[in-house]
Amino acid sequence: MMITQCKDWQAWLDKMPPKPDELNVVGDVMVGNPGVRPMLTMRNPQGSNPVALILDLFLIQQPGIWPDVRVCAPARFDRVMPPSAPDYTSVEIYSDGKQIAQIDVSIVE
């Protein structure tokens, strides 16, 4: 499935006490029917820039019969940060090998 429209991407690193820190990435993806669920996963391996997180967006069709209606579906990625992890400053999101979004990470302290 081709990603045609994505919007409202946001990323933030929650550093509020108590530890551990948590990274959150959210956005809206236009999908072909209400049974499609967007899924964000960490790319492995990551790129050469240690403070830029790279995510891949996949669209997962749920079983069943769904109306052929385009809808906006939420995508979300959450990660509890290990103590040795870098503080990400940006997130790059790819679909089918093409970059569809680049987001600056806000720090919440």
Side-chain angles (χ1 to χ4, degrees):
M1 252 180 248
M2 184 71 161
I3 303 294
T4 57
Q5 185 179 9
C6 299
K7 61 180 183 174
D8 298 333
W9 289 108
Q10 298 177 22
W12 67 95
L13 181 60
D14 185 348
K15 297 181 74 119
M16 298 281 288
K19 292 284 187 183
D21 299 341
E22 184 175 10
L23 177 71
N24 308 103
V25 180
V26 296
D28 293 321
V29 179
M30 189 64 69
V31 296
N33 68 66
V36 176
R37 300 288 180 255
M39 184 175 76
L40 291 167
T41 62
M42 283 181 67
R43 180 174 284 181
N44 191 6
Q46 288 286 302
S48 60
N49 183 352
V51 295
L53 176 66
I54 300 175
L55 300 178
D56 287 312
L57 175 65
F58 297 98
L59 300 180
I60 310 300
Q61 177 65 60
Q62 303 300 306
I65 299 173
W66 300 92
D68 190 18
V69 177
R70 290 174 51 85
V71 296
C72 196
R76 183 173 188 101
F77 176 82
D78 300 302
R79 181 179 185 215
V80 174
M81 302 300 290
S84 62
D87 285 349
Y88 294 116
T89 59
S90 67
V91 176
E92 299 172 10
I93 300 174
Y94 288 81
S95 176
D96 293 325
K98 295 180 182 171
Q99 186 174 346
I100 58 171
Q102 182 168 357
I103 314 150
D104 291 332
V105 175
S106 299
I107 304 294
V108 179
E109 296 185 277

